[in-house]
């Protein structure tokens, strides 16, 4: 039996760039695979390599069980990433991906590993804030899907197809278990620039909740509010990538605590 390289399992680069100035690790929202970042290299500076995180339970990792808690997920991600931390990097996460990106960055700091040049967090409330909504992951399938659509305006039409829905629901339920069982532990603010993005019409995560990330930024904080709801990652992609391009091209030395 062939054992696959864990780094190749966990990370996919839509446009490999071995001599890139910067690697941008991208963590997707609940239920999504790394392919949501497939078109990103075309909208970013050519010296940036996009490395999409591919979690178990989706795409070519469909046969693997999805994680249901953030700590083991981050530990496995961190171990797999080690060979890719040989050059400057930044981390972006959207919704659940923002929580994964944040906790991975804190895990790197705890073990004395390298820190990202920048941490970019999108469509997720400050992690110290309590979740104001009732948990979804214990609900029966129909109620779970209805609540997802009402709360976050889920865009994926695949949930209407019985066969595709049967494939997607276990992953979505596992991801919401990660989110809804998360317990924030207080640590010092991160000694790096932190940039947050919010959707102007996001019903579940309004900009004021995204602004609470400022508490965790020890080296400068900014908030950009983009047009759209929770999935402005897709609907306002060009605007988001333009803002990310400016951030990732600016010298870090220009920023101050």
């Amino acid at each position: 039996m062939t054992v696959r390289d864990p780094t190749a399992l966990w990370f996919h680069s839509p446009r490999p760039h071995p001599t890139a100035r910067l690697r941008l690790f991208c963590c997707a929202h609940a239920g999504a695979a790394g392919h949501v970042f497939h078109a990103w290299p075309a909208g970013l500076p050519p010296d940036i390599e996009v490395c999409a995180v591919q979690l178990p339970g989706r795409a070519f990792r469909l046969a693997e069980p999805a994680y249901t808690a953030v700590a083991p997920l981050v530990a496995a991600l961190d171990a797999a990433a080690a060979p890719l931390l040989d050059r400057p990097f930044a981390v972006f996460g959207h919704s659940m991906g923002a929580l994964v990106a944040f906790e991975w960055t804190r895990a790197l700091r705890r073990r004395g590993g390298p820190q990202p040049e920048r941490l970019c967090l999108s469509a997720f409330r400050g992690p110290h804030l309590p979740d104001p909504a009732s948990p979804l992951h214990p609900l029966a399938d129909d109620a779970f899907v209805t609540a997802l659509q009402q709360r976050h305006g889920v865009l994926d039409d695949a949930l209407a197809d019985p066969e595709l829905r049967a494939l997607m629901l276990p992953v979505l339920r596992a991801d919401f278990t990660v989110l809804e069982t998360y317990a924030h532990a207080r640590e010092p603010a991160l000694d790096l620039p932190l940039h947050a993005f919010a959707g102007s019409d996001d019903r579940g995560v309004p900009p004021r909740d995204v602004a609470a990330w400022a508490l965790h930024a020890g080296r400068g904080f900014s908030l950009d509010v983009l047009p759209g709801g929770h999935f402005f990652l897709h609907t306002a992609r060009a605007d988001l990538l333009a803002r990310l391009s400016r951030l990732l091209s600016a010298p870090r030395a220009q920023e101050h605590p």
Side-chain angles (χ1 to χ4, degrees), residues 82-239:
L84 298 176
L85 304 182
D86 59 343
R87 68 189 63 242
F89 66 98
V91 185
F92 171 89
H94 184 82
S95 194
M96 173 184 159
L99 179 61
V100 172
F102 173 66
E103 287 296 339
W104 179 33
T105 302
R106 298 212 299 177
L108 284 167
R109 180 175 65 178
R110 285 193 296 271
R111 69 170 177 82
Q115 289 282 277
E117 292 288 305
R118 285 173 172 75
L119 182 59
C120 303
L121 305 169
S122 173
F124 197 79
R125 67 188 183 280
H128 58 286
L129 297 179
D131 188 345
S134 58
L136 302 185
H137 72 272
L139 297 177
D141 287 353
D142 288 344
F144 180 73
V145 171
T146 298
L148 274 179
Q149 293 169 335
Q150 290 175 344
R151 191 175 298 179
H152 295 298
V154 173
L155 296 176
D156 205 325
D157 293 335
L159 289 174
D161 181 286
E163 292 185 4
L164 292 176
R165 176 170 142 160
L167 289 174
M168 293 181 63
L169 278 183
V171 175
L172 279 166
R173 193 180 299 280
D175 287 353
F176 271 83
T177 304
V178 169
L179 292 169
E180 294 169 348
T181 60
Y182 172 73
H184 177 68
R186 291 183 62 182
E187 292 184 14
L190 293 164
D191 188 25
L192 51 82
L194 197 156
H195 311 281
F197 298 90
S200 58
D201 302 316
D202 191 336
R203 300 191 302 266
V205 191
R208 66 176 179 275
D209 288 353
V210 180
W213 280 107
L215 181 67
H216 304 278
R219 187 65 63 173
F221 175 77
S222 67
L223 171 67
D224 280 324
V225 180
L226 282 76
H230 192 66
F231 292 101
F232 65 85
L233 172 81
H234 305 299
T235 59
R237 185 177 69 194
D239 195 0

Side-chain angles (χ1 to χ4, degrees), residues 9-88:
L9 279 177
W10 278 87
F11 300 98
H12 170 66
S13 294
R15 186 182 296 173
H17 190 344
T19 60
R21 172 185 62 84
L22 182 83
R23 285 198 173 105
L24 176 62
F25 294 100
C26 297
C27 306
H29 50 83
H35 75 267
V36 300
F37 302 107
H38 183 76
W40 276 38
L44 292 169
D47 58 354
I48 293 175
E49 181 183 44
V50 171
C51 288
V53 174
Q54 189 69 276
L55 296 181
R58 60 215 84 198
F60 58 81
R61 305 189 70 182
L62 190 63
E64 300 176 59
Y67 283 93
T68 56
V70 73
L73 187 165
V74 166
L77 168 65
D78 187 34
L84 298 176
L85 304 182
D86 59 343
R87 68 189 63 242

